[in-house]
Amino acid sequence: MIRDLHEKLLNGDVTAVELTNRAFDVIDQKDEELHAFLSFTKEQAMRKAADVDVKIKNGEKIDLLAGIPCAVKDNICMTGTVTTAASKMLEDYIAPYDATVATRIKENDAVIVGKTNLDEFACGSTTENSAYGPTKNPVDPTRVPGGTSGGSAAAVVSDEVVWALGTDTGGSIRQPASFCGAVGLKPTYGRVSRYGVIAMGSSLDQVGAITKTVEDAAIVLSRIAGHDPMDATSATSGEKPYEDYCIGDIKGAKIGIPKEYLGDGLDDQVRDVFMQSVEKFKLLGAEIVDISLPHTEYALATYYIIMPSELSSNLARYDGIRFGGAEGVDPKTVLEQYMEVRGKGFGPEVKRRIMLGTYTLSAGYYDAYYKKAQKVRALLRKDFENAFTKVNYVFTPTAPEVAFKLGAKCDDPLKMYLSDIYTVTANLVGVPGLSIPVGTVSCDGVQLPVGGQLMGKWFDEEGILNAGYTYEINT
Ligand code: GLN
């Protein structure tokens, strides 16, 4: 996709301004129903597109991303634009600086058309927790697009943009990609800078791309990866042309299928589609190995202790003083200020997690919950270290089910949390995860996408990208 459009731009078959106008036409037609976007940056987008057209006319070398319409999830800061994280708390917050990922794509002349919807502060699995209303799944608008990067996935799949940035703390890139039929890459923890990304769980958060093809995800990663002095957890290497590693051959690669990911809770039709995709990998020359990741059953509980602990600390900064949220509040004391601002600014799911996280970090419970969860996290990491002595990649369903109906799980947080069962582990242990479309299941006459998740060794994005690419071009 990106490469084809780039060629067309260079050949003069289309201009960047035309591509951008087209993107806004599709948005005009579709976004009232889908609600993939929270805000638009049309003026900057049109200016950028015109600049790219001038560069092309002058024969200047342009990047693959140049002139191509894209979108950015609204928990990523962009100078001068409202960045809400889909919360009422940040309704009027105008970011005073660019996140490093935003700087990098801007430097490559990407045309950013707007900011996409998410669950409030990236807490959720359906985008229904947005304070500004849910996004709908473009494949079937009666269903959720997944979350929390549901706006980014919907924008890509509905052709509003060519690609979009998302963030992933427990599956928020991969699961919506799976639900909408897109490709979603969560890089290794540390591969991409978190500077300027509104923090959810700081030891889990990563930025990545949602795209239509695996090569596009590789192209975007090449532009956003690499060390950033502004993020102390960013790795020191990583600026590579990831797309060059998509060679389309995985003969001899060992792909591990962990039995723990195929047990209770997995929808039968999703299991069938997934098993067919395993067969396809076999036909492509991969060796399929049955493996075990024995601590898998503790992953979700571990995540739902560590993530709220970190989230409750990160959200402590929203007190109505530095980031807005105090409009119309007239407190007499500091405590009143906190209670009023936070009481009206945060939605129910965010409050639930703040309470959970405050509890698990409090004196007397810290050892029993947070510290224990960190110990289990180390065991989960060992599971992966052991697995990677036997196999190159681990392959699982991305989610236990296909996109469900809007509203289906809103009243049952536990059921909602179970949608993350196959994705949270990659964040807990830090490995990269790539969700690729592997087929569809028929539901009420609609073909709903199923995603398969390839997990690789730490910093082996090129490996999973090549495996995903090989699958994609051969199916
Ligand atoms: N669905 C998960 C949660 O609710 C993941 C969120 C995310 O990755 N931001 O926490």
Side-chain angles (χ1 to χ4, degrees):
M1 287 286 298
I2 292 178
R3 208 181 275 285
D4 296 342
L5 289 170
H6 177 73
E7 294 300 324
K8 287 197 174 127
L9 284 170
L10 293 186
N11 294 338
D13 295 342
V14 71
T15 66
V17 167
E18 282 166 0
L19 282 181
T20 309
N21 276 327
R22 244 184 248 168
F24 281 110
D25 285 348
V26 180
I27 288 168
D28 284 346
Q29 283 161 28
K30 297 189 179 170
D31 212 61
E32 205 172 305
E33 181 179 28
L34 292 180
H35 195 224
F37 283 87
L38 289 178
S39 57
F40 296 98
T41 46
K42 190 163 182 178
E43 225 172 274
Q44 291 107 300
M46 294 313 299
R47 219 179 307 130
K48 179 65 100 176
D51 287 350
V52 172
D53 285 335
V54 170
K55 284 190 183 179
I56 296 170
K57 231 196 199 138
N58 293 342
E60 282 178 51
K61 193 172 157 37
I62 58 159
D63 185 65
L64 278 170
L65 295 187
I68 310 246
C70 68
V72 172
K73 188 176 177 180
D74 201 30
N75 59 351
I76 297 175
C77 288
M78 272 168 38
T79 314
T81 66
V82 178
T83 301
T84 66
S87 180
K88 284 283 173 209
M89 184 67 94
L90 295 177
E91 195 167 12
D92 301 313
Y93 175 67
I94 297 181
Y97 63 96
D98 272 330
T100 299
V101 286
T103 307
R104 293 201 176 182
I105 62 171
K106 284 182 181 177
E107 280 170 0
N108 286 305
D109 289 332
V111 174
I112 304 167
V113 306
K115 307 289 294 292
T116 51
N117 200 8
L118 64 151
D119 291 287
E120 182 176 6
F121 285 107
C123 295
S125 307
T126 58
T127 320
E128 292 167 296
N129 293 336
S130 167
Y132 304 100
T135 296
K136 295 180 182 155
N137 191 321
V139 180
D140 174 357
T142 67
R143 292 175 187 267
V144 299
T148 62
S149 312
S152 291
V156 170
V157 169
S158 62
D159 286 327
E160 292 177 323
V161 289
V162 177
W163 64 274
L165 286 183
T167 61
D168 190 314
T169 302
S172 280
I173 288 175
R174 290 160 288 157
Q175 186 254 23
S178 169
F179 276 19
C180 293
V183 171
L185 172 66
K186 180 205 87 76
T188 309
Y189 183 77
R191 178 58 97 204
V192 177
S193 169
R194 294 181 295 109
Y195 177 71
V197 179
I198 295 180
M200 182 191 181
S202 304
S203 76
L204 306 157
D205 299 342
Q206 267 296 287
V207 182
I210 296 184
T211 55
K212 285 224 184 72
T213 68
V214 175
E215 192 198 27
D216 283 0
I219 289 171
V220 175
L221 181 67
S222 307
R223 272 85 194 153
I224 61 173
H227 181 60
D228 176 14
M230 300 302 280
D231 173 2
T233 61
S234 81
T236 49
S237 63
E239 286 173 60
K240 288 183 211 170
Y242 290 94
E243 58 276 19
D244 291 357
Y245 293 86
C246 294
I247 53 171
D249 182 3
I250 48 155
K251 281 188 200 75
K254 291 193 174 128
I255 299 184
I257 313 294
K259 63 172 191 284
E260 292 81 3
Y261 283 67
L262 299 172
D264 284 350
L266 175 60
D267 177 90
D268 286 337
Q269 285 180 290
V270 172
R271 182 187 285 110
D272 289 348
V273 171
F274 174 75
M275 291 317 294
Q276 285 160 21
S277 68
V278 171
E279 287 305 310
K280 285 183 197 154
F281 268 122
K282 215 188 257 176
L283 291 175
L284 293 170
E287 186 185 329
I288 304 299
V289 184
D290 290 327
I291 60 165
S292 171
L293 296 166
H295 295 93
T296 299
E297 66 173 301
Y298 306 111
L300 198 65
T302 304
Y303 172 78
Y304 274 97
I305 290 173
I306 291 174
M307 174 276 297
S309 301
E310 295 185 6
L311 179 81
S312 67
S313 312
N314 277 323
L315 296 193
R317 74 192 69 178
Y318 301 108
D319 52 11
I321 296 171
R322 280 164 297 177
F323 300 97
E327 299 71 24
V329 170
D330 184 22
K332 307 271 172 305
T333 63
V334 172
L335 185 62
E336 252 182 53
Q337 156 112 3
Y338 271 44
M339 289 177 43
E340 286 188 31
V341 167
R342 292 166 68 84
K344 83 177 178 55
F346 290 137
E349 180 60 25
V350 170
K351 285 181 185 157
R352 180 179 295 119
R353 294 183 190 208
I354 291 174
M355 285 190 277
L356 282 171
T358 307
Y359 180 80
T360 50
L361 290 180
S362 56
Y365 295 109
Y366 179 92
D367 284 353
Y369 295 105
Y370 184 73
K371 206 165 159 195
K372 195 169 199 174
Q374 290 290 24
K375 288 182 179 169
V376 179
R377 188 177 189 177
L379 293 173
L380 287 162
R381 193 182 162 97
K382 280 218 176 86
D383 282 357
F384 275 77
E385 281 168 0
N386 289 338
F388 286 131
T389 62
K390 297 183 204 102
V391 296
N392 304 95
Y393 314 115
V394 173
F395 186 48
T396 73
T398 305
E401 64 208 324
V402 289
F404 41 88
K405 293 274 184 187
L406 285 151
K409 298 191 183 182
C410 288
D411 300 331
D412 190 339
L414 207 58
K415 254 197 198 154
M416 191 70 101
Y417 297 167
L418 280 166
S419 321
D420 309 331
I421 193 150
Y422 300 145
T423 46
V424 294
T425 312
N427 302 78
L428 287 167
V429 306
V431 294
L434 174 72
S435 181
I436 54 168
V438 293
T440 55
V441 304
S442 176
C443 249
D444 309 331
V446 186
Q447 292 298 318
L448 297 173
V450 175
Q453 170 179 235
L454 283 155
M455 289 181 277
K457 289 182 192 136
W458 293 265
F459 300 107
D460 187 21
E461 278 81 2
E462 48 269 46
I464 52 172
L465 284 164
N466 178 46
Y469 175 75
T470 309
Y471 185 92
E472 183 181 85
I473 60 168
N474 287 291
T475 48

